Amino acid sequence: LAFPEGPVVFPDGSVVVVELLGGRITRVWNGRKEVISQIGAGPNGAQLGPDGALYVCNCGGADPADPHLADPNQIGRIERVDLATGKFERLYDHVGDRPLSAPNDLVFDADGGMWFTDFGKVLKDRLGRSGIYYCKPDGSEIREVVFGGTGYNGIGLSPDGKWLYYAMNYTGRLFRMRIEGPGKVAMQ
C-alpha cells in the first residue's frame, strides 16, 4: 500500500483505505487487497456516508519531486465514490471563490451533513492556511466554519453530537467547539 490513510471498517471485516501516494481506494482483508477506485491525486481521508457511498477528502496529491510537500498545481476536493462500481464524482473543490487546498479528514453528523478539515498546502517555502468546513453530501451546499489556522488535521464528534473536536498537527493539541446546529459552532 502506498501511504494508507482513512481506514473504514466494514461489517464483513474488510477495511477500506485511501492510498495517498497511490491515488487509489483499496479494500484489504485476510492478507488480500482489491482496488475499488483509481481516484487519482491524493486521497487523504474517508468515511462511509449515509447513502452507503464512500466520501473522500482528496488533498490534490504530493509534489513528485518531494512526497512530503503538496503538489502546488492541484487543488483539493471532496469526492463521492460508488463502492459497487468504483466510479467517483467531484462534489466540491471551492468554498465561495476560494479553492479548497488540502482536505484531510471528515466525519458525518446525525443530520447527514459532513464536517471536514482542510490542512492547507505544505509547500517548500510556506504553509497554507487551514480551515474547517461543513457540507451536504449531495453537492448542494458548502460553508466555511473556521479559517486561518495551520495544520487542522483529524476531526470528530462527541457521542451526543454537541461537540466538534479537531486536532492541530503542528501543536499536537486537540480542540473542541460547541455545535449550535448543522454547520454552525459557538466560537469560544
Side-chain angles (χ1 to χ4, degrees):
L1 298 172
F3 206 122
E5 290 267 353
V8 180
V9 179
F10 282 76
D12 67 359
S14 66
V15 177
V16 170
V17 296
V18 297
E19 292 187 64
L20 184 96
L21 295 180
R24 294 182 290 272
I25 310 296
T26 304
R27 182 185 309 267
V28 294
W29 74 104
N30 297 331
R32 296 180 291 171
K33 65 181 182 176
E34 167 192 36
V35 174
I36 293 172
S37 180
Q38 290 284 354
I39 199 167
N44 205 34
Q47 284 290 322
L48 199 57
D51 62 354
L54 191 72
Y55 288 80
V56 176
C57 284
N58 194 320
C59 70
D63 182 333
D66 184 346
H68 294 99
L69 301 175
D71 182 340
N73 301 311
Q74 296 289 328
I75 63 171
R77 51 200 175 262
I78 301 298
E79 295 170 306
R80 179 187 182 277
V81 178
D82 182 317
L83 291 166
T85 66
K87 291 183 181 178
F88 58 93
E89 63 179 309
R90 186 177 297 197
L91 298 176
Y92 303 101
D93 57 17
H94 282 76
V95 58
D97 293 338
R98 185 178 27 243
L100 293 175
S101 182
N104 191 277
D105 283 311
L106 65 152
V107 65
F108 282 93
D109 64 18
D111 295 312
M114 181 190 339
W115 298 86
F116 70 94
T117 55
D118 187 324
F119 191 78
K121 291 222 182 283
V122 177
L123 302 173
K124 190 174 190 176
D125 58 349
R126 67 186 176 279
L127 295 176
R129 295 289 185 191
S130 292
I132 296 174
Y133 300 90
Y134 184 84
C135 62
K136 293 185 177 177
D138 63 3
S140 67
E141 179 186 347
I142 184 171
R143 71 176 75 145
E144 183 178 275
V145 178
V146 175
F147 182 78
T150 55
Y152 294 166
N153 198 332
I155 192 163
L157 298 169
S158 63
D160 62 8
K162 293 180 180 179
W163 293 95
L164 178 72
Y165 294 92
Y166 62 99
M168 289 187 69
N169 197 54
Y170 298 119
T171 63
R173 297 179 67 193
L174 181 67
F175 294 89
R176 71 179 185 170
M177 293 182 280
R178 179 172 286 284
I179 296 174
E180 293 187 332
K184 296 179 183 167
V185 296
M187 299 306 291
Q188 297 176 339

